[in-house]
Amino acid sequence: MTAPRSSDSTSEVARGAIEAVTRSRGRATVAYVAATVLGGLGALVIVAVQLLSGRAAVLDVLVWSALAVMLLGAAAHRWWLGGRNEERSRRIAETIRSEQVATAVRGSSGDIDAVRRLRVAHPGLGLRDAYELYQRHACDSH
């Protein structure tokens, strides 16, 4: 019997970790965060190269540093707070009854106005959920 190679067990552990992360957050969020972090790290590398070269202009260092901070901050925000608004919007949408939708969209001048009225009547309701509620209401009333 041969012992498994360490690279096989490492790749299995990595695959398991990736699957756990994508299950909890979704592939789009993971891809966005990974790309944003790579961009932030790239900006930090440029800052380090400029500083080590000895020919760095203050403005260049400040601009690249600010870009790195913004990219890394955006990645952190999306990672830790990105899904909260979507979950909140779904919970709000689940509690809205068809009568409430009818009341909110009554007198609207079109799809956009109806969705806007729904979102004003129910703060925290996301654009996608408001549109889906309106579409369901439009199908039910015809």
Side-chain angles (χ1 to χ4, degrees), residues 59-100:
L59 183 60
D60 289 341
V61 171
L62 288 176
V63 167
W64 284 106
S65 298
L67 179 63
V69 167
M70 287 189 301
L71 287 170
L72 294 172
H77 180 269
R78 180 70 175 259
W79 187 257
W80 283 296
L81 304 175
R84 288 187 181 169
N85 290 336
E86 293 172 9
E87 292 170 17
R88 179 177 173 218
S89 177
R90 272 189 233 111
R91 281 195 312 267
I92 291 169
E94 289 171 359
T95 64
I96 299 173
R97 297 184 316 272
S98 59
E99 303 86 39
Q100 292 173 306

Side-chain angles (χ1 to χ4, degrees), residues 44-66:
L44 286 177
V45 167
I46 290 172
V47 168
V49 168
Q50 285 184 345
L51 287 174
L52 293 175
S53 72
R55 56 181 175 82
V58 174
L59 183 60
D60 289 341
V61 171
L62 288 176
V63 167
W64 284 106
S65 298

Side-chain angles (χ1 to χ4, degrees), residues 13-139:
V13 169
R15 261 190 242 115
I18 290 170
E19 287 176 17
V21 167
T22 56
R23 216 177 306 117
S24 67
R25 291 204 165 63
R27 292 185 187 276
T29 300
V30 172
Y32 172 85
V33 169
T36 309
V37 165
L38 287 175
L41 292 175
L44 286 177
V45 167
I46 290 172
V47 168
V49 168
Q50 285 184 345
L51 287 174
L52 293 175
S53 72
R55 56 181 175 82
V58 174
L59 183 60
D60 289 341
V61 171
L62 288 176
V63 167
W64 284 106
S65 298
L67 179 63
V69 167
M70 287 189 301
L71 287 170
L72 294 172
H77 180 269
R78 180 70 175 259
W79 187 257
W80 283 296
L81 304 175
R84 288 187 181 169
N85 290 336
E86 293 172 9
E87 292 170 17
R88 179 177 173 218
S89 177
R90 272 189 233 111
R91 281 195 312 267
I92 291 169
E94 289 171 359
T95 64
I96 299 173
R97 297 184 316 272
S98 59
E99 303 86 39
Q100 292 173 306
V101 175
T103 303
V105 301
R106 187 175 298 127
S108 62
S109 61
D111 292 358
I112 295 172
D113 188 40
V115 170
R116 182 191 60 79
R117 288 175 183 237
L118 267 172
R119 293 186 72 201
V120 167
H122 303 281
L125 184 63
L127 184 61
R128 178 186 305 148
D129 292 319
Y131 183 72
E132 288 173 359
L133 281 171
Y134 171 71
Q135 288 297 319
R136 253 185 271 137
H137 170 71
C139 289

